């Protein structure tokens, strides 16, 4: 009786793990949802002082999700041999969000490095 040897074939180049892609898609969806919530709170913060706190918390969630998205995008790109543009776009979104946060703090009169803005 002949025995059958099983050989595991390596993943072909250019094929990204479906789990990694699914995780990146979830992170992108979470980023979009967090941006919508933060924008909504920003509009409400214009009219109501207590909503500034909610907007700041939503902004922190946006930054946290952006960091997770960067890590996943780099994992898809480098070890996964996927496209590199999602990693670059994720870094750009993180930097733009950080720049917006810094300009808001400067406009509110908070010194750099201090977390809570000065209310006028």
């Amino acid at each position: 009786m002949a025995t059958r040897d099983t050989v595991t074939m390596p993943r072909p180049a250019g094929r990204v793990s479906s789990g990694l892609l699914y995780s990146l898609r979830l992170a992108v969806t979470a980023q979009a949802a967090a941006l919508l919530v933060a924008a909504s709170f920003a509009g409400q913060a214009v009219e109501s002082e207590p909503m500034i706190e909610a907007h700041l918390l939503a902004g922190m969630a946006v930054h946290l999700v952006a960091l997770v998205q960067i890590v996943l995008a780099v994992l898809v790109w480098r070890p996964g041999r996927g496209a590199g543009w999602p990693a670059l776009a994720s870094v750009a979104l993180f930097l733009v969000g950080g720049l917006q946060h810094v300009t808001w703090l400067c406009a509110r009169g908070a010194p750099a490095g201090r977390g809570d803005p000065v209310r006028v």
Side-chain angles (χ1 to χ4, degrees), residues 13-17 21 73-86:
R15 289 279 313 218
V16 180
S17 164
L21 282 177
V74 168
L75 287 175
V76 164
W77 173 38
R78 297 305 295 168
R81 296 189 179 117
W85 69 265

Side-chain angles (χ1 to χ4, degrees), residues 32-56:
L35 282 169
L36 286 174
V37 169
S40 170
F41 286 158
Q44 294 173 10
V46 171
E47 298 189 15
S48 170
E49 188 77 19
M51 290 307 291
I52 291 175
E53 298 281 332
H55 175 62
L56 288 174

Side-chain angles (χ1 to χ4, degrees), residues 84-101:
W85 69 265
L88 293 175
S90 299
V91 169
L93 279 172
F94 180 74
L95 292 176
V96 167
L99 182 64
Q100 186 268 339
H101 185 74

Side-chain angles (χ1 to χ4, degrees), residues 49 52 107-109 117-120:
E49 188 77 19
I52 291 175
R108 297 287 291 184
V118 176
R119 295 195 167 92
V120 269

